[in-house]
Amino acid sequence: MSDLAERLADVDARIAAAVRASGRAPNDVTRIVVTKFHPPELVARLHALGVRDVGENRQQELTAKRAVLEGATDLRWHFVGQAQTNKARAVRAAADAVHSVDRSRIADALHAADPEGEPLDVLLQVNLTDDPARGGARPDEVEALGEHVLTSCPSLRVRGVMAVAPLGEQPADAFARLAAASTALRSVAPDATWISAGMTGDFVDAIAAGATHLRIGSAITGPRPDRG
């Protein structure tokens, strides 16, 4: 527990320093701990240390860990992996927020999974590269995607945008494009103020660019265990 507590405290101190340097309020930024491949016991230890937002990349892990930790009712579960239509029902059942809505079919599937249920927070994933094979909508598609979710998927609540900074580029430049996409989305969804950006290696740049939600894994959890 001590090593985990030290890593968490170190990251939180670095986040606080970056928030101060950017002139923002401390409560502007939510730290999500991504626990990919780690056992539920690690999430329980994080919860005991005060962590309330956790992220998972894979639906199977999300579903399984939430079931084990059902007693921790104040945990908020974020699905941050690539969304698939055939897993939309399971994702919706287990997630409090989905960060990876990148096309209308995903939004439609999440809505159809529980059209009368409690609103599900979603973020529109933006592809900050020129590679169409990468996950995410193009920046110039974000506004139209937001309009589709607002008009056709009333059980989804559009909260903002998400992206991963491309390799081989200064993160600050990439996050500036994400901030522009956020502005475009807010022209149709004024309350969509979340910007999910920043991981272990670039969260300081993300905070400077306006990120509201950071997705931090190994800097807090330590090395990921083998999948097998």
Side-chain angles (χ1 to χ4, degrees):
M1 178 72 82
S2 60
D3 288 347
L4 184 64
E6 289 172 6
R7 290 193 297 267
L8 180 65
D10 176 69
V11 168
D12 282 348
R14 291 160 58 196
I15 291 171
V19 170
R20 287 194 301 271
S22 68
R24 299 170 62 192
N27 60 359
D28 280 351
V29 176
T30 297
R31 178 252 297 124
I32 301 167
V33 182
V34 179
T35 59
K36 180 179 180 180
F37 300 151
H38 287 281
E41 290 77 13
L42 181 78
V43 182
R45 291 166 60 197
L46 289 165
H47 182 259
L49 291 169
V51 170
R52 294 298 179 264
D53 290 86
V54 295
E56 290 296 334
N57 292 71
R58 300 167 72 238
Q59 173 269 313
Q60 296 93 327
E61 281 195 81
L62 171 67
T63 300
K65 289 178 187 175
R66 182 154 195 169
V68 171
L69 294 156
E70 61 181 352
T73 56
D74 55 349
L75 271 177
R76 182 168 174 81
W77 296 86
H78 300 256
F79 182 72
V80 300
Q82 196 65 41
Q84 300 175 28
T85 55
N86 64 334
K87 296 184 178 180
R89 184 173 299 277
V91 167
R92 172 128 200 197
D96 296 302
V98 176
H99 289 231
S100 49
V101 173
D102 61 357
R103 56 197 186 279
S104 58
R105 287 184 61 225
I106 293 294
D108 293 342
L110 287 169
H111 170 62
D114 194 6
E116 304 299 327
E118 289 293 319
L120 174 68
D121 289 338
V122 300
L123 293 93
L124 309 187
Q125 184 176 355
V126 183
N127 183 356
L128 298 177
T129 77
D130 294 324
D131 181 1
R134 292 285 298 270
R138 297 196 315 268
D140 61 0
E141 297 173 329
V142 169
E143 188 175 334
L145 180 57
E147 286 183 317
H148 174 84
V149 178
L150 288 169
T151 59
S152 300
C153 306
S155 71
L156 307 185
R157 182 163 48 202
V158 181
R159 301 294 274 177
V161 294
M162 181 274 265
V164 177
L167 297 175
E169 178 182 2
Q170 290 297 319
D173 295 336
F175 292 144
R177 297 199 300 279
L178 182 62
S182 173
T183 299
L185 176 60
R186 292 199 307 275
S187 71
V188 296
D191 294 332
T193 56
W194 293 10
I195 299 178
S196 173
M199 298 188 291
T200 292
D202 57 22
F203 68 79
V204 172
D205 288 304
I207 290 170
T212 63
H213 290 68
L214 313 175
R215 310 181 307 275
I216 301 177
S218 58
I220 294 172
T221 63
R224 290 171 180 162
D226 293 336
R227 295 179 62 176

